Amino acid sequence: MPTADHLLVVAGERVPAVEGGTTTVLAPATGEPLATVARAGAPDVERAVATAHAAFADGRGAWPATSATVRGRVLGRVADLLRERASDLARLEAENAGHPIGDAEWEVEAAARTFEFYAGAPNKHHGSTIPVMDPGLAITLREPVGPCALIVPWNFPLLIASWKVAPALACGNPIILKPASLTPLTALALGDVLVDAGVPPEAVHVLAGPGSQVGDLLVGDPRIAKVGFTGETATGAHILRTSSENITRVSLELGGKSAAVVFADADLQRAAASIPMAVFGNAGQDCCARSRILVERSAYDDFVTAFAAATAEITVGEPLDRDTQMGPMVSEGQRRTSLDYLAIGVEEGARLVRGGEVPDRPGFFLSPAVVADVDNSMRIAREEIFGPVASVIPFDDEDDAIRIANDSPYGLSGSLWTGSATRAIRVARRLRAGTLSVNSNSSVRVETPFGGMKRSGLGRELGLAALDHYSEQRTVFFAED
Ligand code: NDP
C-alpha cells in the first residue's frame, strides 16, 4: 500500500488512516498526480468523533471551558500563523485547486481575516438579562453546542473551511473538518496551524475521505451536535434527511444561479469591464458567480459587444504564473459538465458569442464562454453550471428585470447596476437573494452575514450571525423567594 504524503489530523496529530487507505489528488493544471493523501474510513471517523465528544465533555472539556478571552487570543494566533505560512499555503492551494497564485494569496489572507474577526468575538457574544413578569431574575447563557462536523467543497478549500472552523472554535466547540476529496491539502495544513496556535489537540480533527462514507458517518452520528455544510443542493438535501434522525443542528450553504441586473442608466462601460470576473473568477466555480447577466433591452447589443471584448482580455494560464487571471477547472468532470451545458444552450437556441474552447494543452482548461440571447426558461439559465459560462438575457423594464431575476430555484447572491439611487433601493428590496451588491461584484465580507434563500441554503455564515449557529442559548430563571 503506498504511503501518503499528507496524513490525516486526528486528535491534533498527523496519522495515517487506520486501514491504510490513500487517495491520489491531481494537479488541475496538468492532470497529473500531485500528492497522495491518507483516506479516512469508518475507524478514523470513530476515533475522531469519540475524541471530540470526550473533549467536549458536556461543556467541561479543556476548550469549551477555556475563557472566552483566551479563546479569542488563540484565534488571533491562528490568523498570525496563517499569514506566516501564507506563501506555502497559497502555493498548495494554487497547485491543488488550480487557483491563480494571486487569488490563492488573497484566499489565505481572507482566511486569516476570518480568524481575526472571530478572535474578537468570543467575549462579546453573551447572554442577556430579560425582564419577566414573575418575581425573579431571568438570564440567558450562551454555550458551545458540542462537536461540530464541518464539511466543505473544493472551490475555495481553505477559505470556506475558515468560515466554519473560526466561529465553531470561537464558541468553544471541538471541530472535525471534512475537506472535499479533490482538494484536501490546505485543510490538513490548517489542522496543524490550529494546534500550533494553541487549540487543544483533542479538539482538532481533519478527515480527508469520501463524502459518501466519511461525511455520511459524521452527519448520522448522534455525538455530532452540529453540521456546517457547503456544497451542492442535492448533497445538502441528503444531509438534512440524514441529520433529521438525531435532530442534529444543520446549516447549509448550497448552490446558486445569481443574476447581475444591468439597467441602461448604469455606467455601462464600468459594468461590462468588471462583470466578467464576477462570472469567470475561479473559472466560474464560485457559488456566487453572476452566471445570469440581465441587461435592459435598449443597452443590450452594446453591452454584449463590450462584455465579450472584456472577456476576451482575461488571461487564462498556469496557476503559478502571476499574469494568470483564470486557471484550469478543478477536474475533467467539471469541464465536461460545462461543455455539455454549452451544447444544450446552443441546441435550445442561445447564441455562443465567444469562448467554450478546450485549448490544446494538458490540464482541465476551458476558455470563458459568453452566451447571448438566452431565455430564462433555458436549462443554462436555470441550472447551476459551476463553470466559465455566462448567459446574457435581455429584459424590458424594472418589473421584467425583477421577475426574471427572481424566477430561479436559487437565491444566493446578485448584483444590481444602475445610476439611480431610488431605483437601487426599490429593486434591491424586491430581489430574492441572500446577499446583494449595488454597482459592485462582491457580496461576501467577513463582517456581514452570508447565505442563501430558497434552494441556496439554510442559515447564515460569517458576521456575528454565524455564532448563533455554533452556540446554544439557554434560559435560567432565579425565583426571588
Ligand atoms: P458536493 O456537495 O459534491 O461536496 C461538498 C462536500 O460534501 C465535499 O466535502 C464532499 O465530499 C461532501 N459530501 C459528498 N457527499 C456527501 C454525503 N453524502 N454526506 C456528507 N458529505 C458529503 O459539492 P462540490 O464539492 O461539488 O462543491 C460545489 C458546490 O458547492 C456547488 O453547488 C456550489 O454552488 C456549492 N457552494 C456553495 C457555496 C455557498 O456558500 N452557498 C460556496 C461554495 C460552493 P467528497 O469531495 O469526498 O465528495
Side-chain angles (χ1 to χ4, degrees), residues 151-155 160 163 178-182 209-212 215-216 219 229-233 235 238-239 253-256 287 384 386 412 450 456 461:
I151 303 175
V152 296
W154 45 259
N155 59 338
I160 295 179
W163 293 358
K178 209 306 272 173
S181 293
L182 292 173
S212 54
D216 236 17
V219 174
F229 172 78
T230 298
E232 285 181 27
T233 296
T235 317
H238 173 79
I239 284 177
E253 298 295 342
L254 308 175
C287 54
E384 184 182 43
F386 225 55
L412 187 56
F450 169 68
S456 287
E461 300 209 280

Side-chain angles (χ1 to χ4, degrees), residues 107 231 284 286 295 375 393 424 430 443 477:
E107 191 188 340
D286 181 346
V295 185
D375 184 277
I393 304 172
R430 290 178 61 194
S443 47
F477 176 71

Side-chain angles (χ1 to χ4, degrees), residues 67-69 71-72 75 118-126 169-171 467:
S67 85
T69 302
R71 284 206 304 266
L75 292 190
Y118 288 105
N123 58 8
K124 296 169 198 73
H125 184 247
H126 47 68
L169 288 176
C171 291
L467 299 171

